Amino acid sequence: MDLVDLMVEKRFLGQEFLTWLWYKSEERGGTVFLESTGTDIELVFEKHIFLESGEGESYEKLICQGLQAELHEARTGLAMGKKIEQARIMMIKDDHEFHFTLKGSVFEFRSVKLPKTMASADESDDPDAAEGRLLDKIGLYEICLRTTDELFRMFLKRRIGSDWPVELDKLRSWIKKGH
């Protein structure tokens, strides 16, 4: 099996992850408890969710846009068997606010907006300042990616654990309740 076939075969994991993540964020009013650090992060699905179903000629897609409270159509799509392919997410961790789009099937980050860490007056052309800004951005990307990795690790732990049927029942109830 080559890499492309493997990615196509396992794409459901990323789609299930996004669905689980949306459920977890709403389960606790927009916060998710990170088990590794024992802290909460704020996580909100915002403005844009892209769902899909079928393949080939029966392929359908549904793009839902709006405020978080207005994503009822996306939940209806989930109830109809569509899978979340892509979602716009806001995540706040340790006073850093990140915005990004996550494509579930390939775990691809798009349109990442990092928190601003210094006032524009502090930005200069000085090489040391430019290097500092670059290192700052790299550190922020790392925080965003590691936090998302931790969330995915939590999902996989549940997904392969013996409690998955219980979690799946809760997730299905959440989907039914929302449309």
Side-chain angles (χ1 to χ4, degrees), residues 94-167:
D94 301 331
D95 297 327
H96 298 297
E97 184 175 318
F98 303 92
H99 296 264
F100 57 90
T101 299
L102 185 59
K103 186 171 182 174
S105 62
V106 291
F107 223 81
E108 178 185 24
F109 287 82
R110 294 179 173 177
S111 305
V112 176
K113 183 179 173 195
L114 299 173
K116 195 143 183 99
T117 56
M118 63 176 61
S120 57
D122 296 336
E123 296 179 14
S124 70
D125 292 334
D126 177 39
D128 289 338
E131 182 180 339
R133 287 192 303 272
L134 179 63
L135 292 173
D136 196 35
K137 282 188 175 189
I138 291 170
L140 291 169
Y141 272 113
E142 195 168 311
I143 289 169
C144 183
L145 295 177
R146 284 184 184 210
T147 304
T148 307
D149 284 349
E150 172 61 19
L151 292 166
F152 189 63
R153 193 174 300 112
M154 288 169 47
F155 164 72
L156 288 178
K157 185 178 173 184
R158 280 174 183 74
R159 182 67 174 86
I160 62 173
S162 60
D163 291 342
W164 179 244
V166 174
E167 186 88 350

Side-chain angles (χ1 to χ4, degrees), residues 3-162:
L3 181 60
V4 174
D5 291 337
L6 187 62
M7 288 174 65
V8 169
E9 183 182 299
K10 305 296 182 197
R11 67 182 294 153
F12 73 93
L13 267 178
Q15 294 171 329
E16 285 185 4
F17 169 63
L18 285 175
T19 305
W20 176 83
L21 195 59
W22 188 13
Y23 158 69
K24 290 309 256 184
S25 73
E26 289 198 359
E27 181 183 43
R28 297 184 60 222
T31 61
V32 177
F33 180 74
L34 288 180
E35 296 165 351
S36 65
T37 59
T39 59
D40 285 325
I41 62 166
E42 193 171 327
L43 194 86
V44 177
F45 277 60
E46 59 176 17
K47 296 180 183 176
H48 180 90
I49 293 181
F50 170 49
L51 297 105
E52 67 177 16
S53 66
E55 293 180 19
E57 291 182 15
S58 64
Y59 177 78
E60 293 180 7
K61 65 180 178 181
L62 174 66
I63 299 171
C64 302
Q65 293 180 317
L67 300 174
Q68 181 193 17
E70 299 171 5
L71 293 173
H72 297 293
E73 193 172 345
R75 297 257 297 259
T76 300
L78 288 176
M80 295 172 59
K82 293 186 178 357
K83 310 285 185 207
I84 299 177
E85 173 56 20
Q86 182 174 299
R88 184 84 184 148
I89 297 170
M90 184 213 35
M91 179 173 65
I92 300 175
K93 182 176 191 299
D94 301 331
D95 297 327
H96 298 297
E97 184 175 318
F98 303 92
H99 296 264
F100 57 90
T101 299
L102 185 59
K103 186 171 182 174
S105 62
V106 291
F107 223 81
E108 178 185 24
F109 287 82
R110 294 179 173 177
S111 305
V112 176
K113 183 179 173 195
L114 299 173
K116 195 143 183 99
T117 56
M118 63 176 61
S120 57
D122 296 336
E123 296 179 14
S124 70
D125 292 334
D126 177 39
D128 289 338
E131 182 180 339
R133 287 192 303 272
L134 179 63
L135 292 173
D136 196 35
K137 282 188 175 189
I138 291 170
L140 291 169
Y141 272 113
E142 195 168 311
I143 289 169
C144 183
L145 295 177
R146 284 184 184 210
T147 304
T148 307
D149 284 349
E150 172 61 19
L151 292 166
F152 189 63
R153 193 174 300 112
M154 288 169 47
F155 164 72
L156 288 178
K157 185 178 173 184
R158 280 174 183 74
R159 182 67 174 86
I160 62 173
S162 60

